[in-house]
């Protein structure tokens, strides 16, 4: 009996001590209150940093694009900066070529022709150093991006849509059209092929 009393007292004491101890939930609430606040603050700052990081990446990408565009424009400016003055020199080439052609046709002095030809050659070479080169025309297929058709002619020897004659040379500045060539284009032959005669028609 005494032993039972001792056991009872012992159990009661244990229950009392257990009640005196703080519950795990209360303890976790006390510990996680500030922790939860810190975690929320950290999550907020992390999100803010992510937004700033995204903005930085976008700005960096835009700056790289801007730099590439600027560099390309600078290269284009260097390559084609003389376009206007070179275009103004093309009529000089035209006149020199006309003078040579006229002198040869009229049988004028050979020395004069040679002098003009030399001048034309020097000017052509000078323009070539700046990237100016003539466009191939006669005997080439008609290219509307490089040729300007001023006439169409019938031709049994030249296929349709081929350049027959060049009235004025065209020129390129590097890969850009400086002036289109004025040309005449073949329409082919207008003769219609004869219909084959049948045996009945021959009879």
């Amino acid at each position: 009996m005494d032993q039972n009393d001792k056991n009872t007292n012992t159990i009661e004491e244990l229950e009392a001590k257990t009640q005196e101890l703080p519950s795990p939930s209360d303890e976790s609430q006390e510990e996680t209150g500030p922790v939860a606040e810190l975690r929320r603050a950290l999550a907020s700052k992390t999100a803010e940093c992510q937004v700033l990081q995204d903005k930085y990446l976008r700005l960096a990408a835009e700056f790289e694009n801007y730099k590439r565009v600027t560099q390309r424009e600078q290269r284009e400016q260097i390559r084609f900066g003389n376009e206007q003055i070179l275009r103004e020199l093309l009529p000089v080439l035209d006149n020199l070529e006309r003078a040579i052609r006229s002198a040869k046709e009229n049988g004028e002095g050979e020395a004069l022709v040679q002098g003009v030809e030399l001048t034309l050659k020097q000017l052509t070479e000078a323009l070539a150093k700046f990237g100016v080169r003539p466009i191939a025309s006669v005997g080439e297929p008609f290219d509307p991006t490089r040729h300007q058709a001023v006439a169409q002619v019938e031709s049994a020897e030249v296929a349709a849509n081929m350049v027959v004659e060049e009235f004025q040379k065209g020129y390129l500045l590097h890969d850009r059209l400086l002036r289109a060539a004025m040309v005449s284009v073949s329409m082919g032959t207008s003769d219609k092929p004869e219909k084959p005669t049948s045996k009945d028609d021959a009879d």
Side-chain angles (χ1 to χ4, degrees), residues 31-96:
E31 292 180 355
T32 57
V35 172
E37 185 177 351
L38 289 174
R39 286 178 178 173
R40 286 193 296 270
L42 178 61
S44 175
K45 293 300 180 183
T46 302
E48 184 178 350
C49 288
Q50 185 62 44
V51 171
L52 293 175
Q53 177 71 8
D54 294 341
K55 183 181 293 185
Y56 165 76
L57 292 176
R58 285 195 299 271
L59 288 174
E62 290 176 0
F63 177 73
E64 286 298 323
N65 291 334
Y66 170 76
K67 186 166 66 174
R68 283 195 295 269
V69 170
T70 302
Q71 291 174 348
R72 184 174 65 249
E73 289 177 350
Q74 289 176 347
R75 289 194 299 268
E76 293 290 312
Q77 182 64 29
I78 292 171
R79 292 188 72 196
F80 302 106
N82 298 323
E83 181 176 358
Q84 185 60 36
I85 188 172
L86 294 174
R87 184 178 286 111
E88 294 296 328
L89 289 175
L90 296 183
V92 179
L93 288 177
D94 297 337
N95 290 331
L96 288 173

Side-chain angles (χ1 to χ4, degrees), residues 124-162:
T124 303
E125 291 175 351
L127 292 175
K129 292 179 181 179
F130 291 93
V132 178
R133 54 192 177 90
I135 296 172
S137 296
V138 178
E140 298 290 326
F142 175 74
D143 183 355
T145 63
R146 297 186 175 190
H147 299 141
Q148 179 183 354
V150 295
Q152 287 185 315
V153 296
E154 296 178 359
S155 175
E157 293 80 16
V158 182
N161 208 40
M162 299 291 289

Side-chain angles (χ1 to χ4, degrees), residues 4 16 21 23 44 55 58 65 76 83 103 107 113 119-120 178:
N4 292 335
L21 292 173
S23 64
S44 175
K55 183 181 293 185
R58 285 195 299 271
N65 291 334
E76 293 290 312
E83 181 176 358
V113 173
T119 303
L120 175 62
L178 191 60

Side-chain angles (χ1 to χ4, degrees), residues 102-129:
S102 175
K104 288 181 177 180
E105 290 174 354
N106 297 327
E108 296 181 5
E110 184 177 349
L112 174 62
V113 173
Q114 290 178 352
V116 177
E117 285 179 340
L118 180 60
T119 303
L120 175 62
K121 180 181 178 183
Q122 290 176 339
L123 181 56
T124 303
E125 291 175 351
L127 292 175
K129 292 179 181 179

